[in-house]
Amino acid sequence: EWDRTVDPERRAEIDRRIRMLTDRVHRLDDHGGAPRRTASLAAWVGLAGPPAEALRFGLAIALTVTAATFLVAYPVAWLVARPSRRRDVAPFLVVLAAPWALDPVLRLHGWQALLSPVAAPDATATVVVALIHAHLPAMLVPLLVALRDLDPRQIEAARDLGAAPLRIHRRIVLPHAAPGLAVGIAATFTLSAAPLVAPMLLAPDRGDGWFAPTLWRTLLDGGATDVAAAGAMGLLVVCLAAAWGTLRLFGVRAGDLLGREHRHDRA
């Protein structure tokens, strides 16, 4: 790249990167091939600034992706899980999983070719659509599992008593699907909180605005493994807290995730 570049500023930047990587190799050799990591408050202080802004942006995107994925997955799960369609669940899951047999990078390039003319110049929308497509099974499968054993007589009784469809879903279907919904929301949010490949391919102009690419750039520019480790630990804490809060919000306990039979035995 240095030989192909004629811009003096770009060559100076490449020279700086080469010196940085050379110094890092020497440090690795001095420590037997393993980087030295020290736990200190400075590593957490290093997250202030761009990493913190990227984390807030990533969490906002994760909330958007989770909400949009639910809006897509819930009607599909409800239609497929109806008693008259339950025999079609297995073929539907096969058709659903077919696109995920492709390499993830190929799928991302497909979304880039499809949506880049529409989303330009801001590619954030392209990343959001790609994340919804990538994480749809994480929301859809738990909802299908939760709705398959819903007694259709409850729906018929509610309709006979004059309940509107919206009230039926709010008072009967959603409470019954609470365990699956909680799992789907927690899984989708966690998977969407810090994507790496999707922003780097679909939003290269603002790749540093995403949390994982920001940590990656921190490693490349200065070899700050302590700061990257602190960022990863902070993200883990946020995702665990979000998962725990989601379960508490829906009133789901660990035993509820074991299945209806476990709940019946406990009752």
Side-chain angles (χ1 to χ4, degrees):
E1 184 179 358
W2 192 93
D3 293 335
R4 296 192 303 267
T5 302
V6 296
D7 185 8
E9 294 184 359
R10 180 58 182 164
R11 283 195 171 185
E13 172 65 17
I14 296 175
D15 287 335
R16 185 188 68 82
R17 295 282 297 277
I18 292 175
R19 289 194 300 270
M20 181 270 295
L21 293 174
T22 302
D23 293 340
R24 188 177 183 189
V25 169
H26 291 163
R27 291 197 301 269
L28 291 176
D29 291 339
D30 294 338
H31 295 285
R36 182 176 58 185
R37 298 181 177 89
T38 57
S40 65
L41 184 61
W44 294 96
V45 174
L47 292 175
E53 293 294 331
L55 179 59
R56 284 193 289 268
F57 175 75
L59 295 179
I61 291 295
L63 289 174
T64 302
V65 171
T66 302
T69 305
F70 167 73
L71 293 178
V72 173
Y74 180 75
V76 175
W78 167 246
L79 292 176
V80 176
R82 295 174 64 181
S84 59
R85 304 297 300 273
R86 287 179 182 175
R87 64 180 180 275
D88 300 330
V89 171
F92 172 76
L93 292 178
V94 173
V95 174
L96 176 69
W100 282 267
L102 296 174
D103 183 80
V105 178
L106 292 179
R107 296 202 308 268
L108 291 176
H109 280 299
W111 283 114
Q112 184 182 35
L114 181 64
L115 297 178
S116 57
V118 180
D122 184 8
T124 302
T126 306
V127 178
V128 170
V129 173
L131 292 178
I132 293 173
H133 177 258
H135 305 321
L136 182 62
M139 179 73 74
L140 184 57
V141 172
L143 283 174
L144 278 174
V145 173
L147 291 176
R148 284 192 66 186
D149 59 352
L150 175 62
D151 190 348
R153 291 174 296 184
Q154 299 183 33
I155 307 298
E156 296 174 2
R159 288 173 178 170
D160 293 341
L161 294 174
L166 182 61
R167 186 177 180 85
I168 292 175
H169 283 273
R170 183 170 59 88
R171 298 295 298 272
I172 299 177
V173 181
L174 284 176
H176 182 87
L181 183 58
V183 171
I185 290 177
T188 305
F189 179 85
T190 301
L191 293 171
S192 306
L196 175 62
V197 180
M200 294 178 69
L201 287 179
L202 303 179
D205 294 338
R206 62 160 306 165
D208 290 343
W210 300 77
F211 188 63
T214 298
L215 294 185
W216 178 255
R217 180 63 60 183
T218 300
L219 286 172
L220 290 181
D221 287 345
T225 57
D226 296 340
V227 175
M233 182 59 67
L235 179 65
L236 174 62
V237 172
V238 170
C239 291
L240 289 177
W244 179 82
T246 302
L247 295 178
R248 292 296 302 269
L249 177 64
F250 285 91
V252 178
R253 291 174 289 184
D256 297 330
L257 303 178
L258 299 178
R260 302 291 294 182
E261 295 81 2
H262 177 86
R263 293 198 295 274
H264 289 162
D265 295 340
R266 186 181 61 190

